[in-house]
Amino acid sequence: MKQKLQHYFNLLRGQNKPQQYVCINCGSPVQELYKRISSTVLKITECEKCNHPADKYIEFEVLIILIDLVLLSKPAYRHILYNSDCKNLWKIGIILVLLEAYCLWTEAFSRFTNVRYRSDHADPFLAEKGFYVSLAHIFIGTILLYLFLYLFTRILHRVDVGHDTGKPYPMALLHGVVLASIGKFFFIPIIIWKQNTSDPGMAIHISLVVAYFVISLTQIHSVISGCTRTRSAVIVLLAFIVKTY
């Protein structure tokens, strides 16, 4: 009886559910990424559909994976989203929200928005209030973008996605939004050299970062949903425009 109860609770926690991976080249599900030949020798599993190594990144250094992420590589996105542990993505998400909120609070985005949360009040507590309002602004905007992406995907792409990858589509999409936001680290130069940058130069910089974010999100959405790049671009642009305005 005790063993049956333990088995039941393990099922609830998902401990007995086998890990499912995907081929980073074609996105097809695979049961394992490598086979252990001996105690010191591993052989990468080949995908039965495309006959390519299921995940070459398991042999690569983290720096190589990061470079491919910056280059908007679909295989790199699949590796991070489906074949690796995403537990640290929420930490990156928090850092990015704080970074973007700080940029909004310091009026680094003044060329793009009329929102003003900064205060020169003598009381430091009242002066910092604007930062927390900016933080709420960015957080709510991120949640709205995620919700609109999910909604428009369900409307424009009526296909059940995520059932063959082992990760529910809502969770994969949430991880994808955070992963696409990594490009917002390029806002850091705006903070550092804000005083020495002209308004047109800052506007160009922000435009390039936002464009990179949209393109990255389009690539990731295509990976997660199975949409074509064109359809993913339409869905992402619709969600981004509705969220913004």
Side-chain angles (χ1 to χ4, degrees):
M1 182 66 179
K2 183 178 180 180
Q3 292 180 348
K4 290 182 178 180
L5 287 175
Q6 184 64 37
H7 176 70
Y8 173 74
F9 288 119
N10 287 339
L11 287 176
L12 289 179
R13 292 194 296 263
Q15 293 182 0
N16 286 0
K17 185 178 180 180
Q19 177 70 41
Q20 192 168 5
Y21 306 99
V22 301
C23 172
I24 63 172
N25 303 290
C26 64
S28 300
V30 293
Q31 295 299 321
E32 56 185 0
L33 299 179
Y34 61 87
K35 295 180 179 179
R36 186 176 295 276
I37 306 301
S38 66
S39 59
T40 57
V41 178
L42 301 177
K43 181 181 179 182
I44 298 179
T45 304
E46 288 190 357
C47 175
E48 296 180 356
K49 183 176 181 180
C50 66
N51 296 322
H52 286 89
D55 192 344
K56 62 181 180 180
Y57 288 113
I58 61 177
E59 294 184 327
F60 287 11
E61 296 291 338
V62 176
L63 180 60
I64 303 298
I65 301 175
L66 289 176
I67 292 174
D68 282 355
L69 287 175
V70 173
L71 296 176
L72 308 177
S73 169
K74 277 190 172 184
Y77 287 141
R78 289 192 180 101
H79 169 77
I80 296 296
L81 292 172
Y82 297 112
N83 296 345
S84 61
D85 191 356
C86 294
K87 290 183 178 179
N88 291 325
L89 273 180
W90 68 271
K91 298 179 183 178
I92 298 175
I94 291 175
I95 294 173
L96 290 168
V97 169
L98 290 171
L99 172 63
E100 198 170 358
Y102 182 80
C103 289
L104 182 62
W105 180 56
T106 56
E107 300 182 357
F109 298 154
S110 59
R111 300 286 297 180
F112 284 81
T113 178
N114 294 323
V115 178
R116 298 289 185 275
Y117 293 128
R118 191 174 182 87
S119 174
D120 296 326
H121 200 281
D123 190 335
F125 293 101
L126 294 178
E128 292 178 2
K129 178 182 177 181
F131 172 75
Y132 299 108
V133 177
S134 301
L135 186 63
H137 180 113
I138 297 300
F139 179 76
I140 293 173
T142 303
I143 296 299
L144 287 177
L145 177 62
Y146 166 76
L147 293 176
F148 286 134
L149 279 172
Y150 183 84
L151 178 63
F152 289 140
T153 302
R154 291 302 184 188
I155 294 174
L156 300 178
H157 186 62
R158 299 180 180 179
V159 178
D160 187 18
V161 294
H163 63 279
D164 58 346
T165 60
K167 177 180 286 189
Y169 173 71
M171 182 61 66
L173 182 61
L174 180 60
H175 289 164
V177 171
V178 175
L179 191 59
S181 300
I182 290 179
K184 294 180 180 179
F185 277 119
F186 292 119
F187 283 138
I188 293 178
I190 296 177
I191 301 174
I192 299 175
W193 293 294
K194 177 184 176 182
Q195 303 300 328
N196 300 322
T197 305
S198 63
D199 287 344
M202 187 176 296
I204 292 174
H205 187 121
I206 295 174
S207 299
L208 290 175
V209 174
V210 173
Y212 179 86
F213 167 70
V214 172
I215 295 172
S216 176
L217 189 56
T218 300
Q219 282 281 81
I220 292 176
H221 183 272
S222 178
V223 166
I224 296 173
S225 65
C227 296
T228 62
R229 285 191 179 94
T230 302
R231 180 170 294 185
S232 290
V234 171
I235 292 173
V236 169
L237 287 174
L238 280 175
F240 188 78
I241 292 172
V242 172
K243 186 271 294 188
T244 303
Y245 296 101

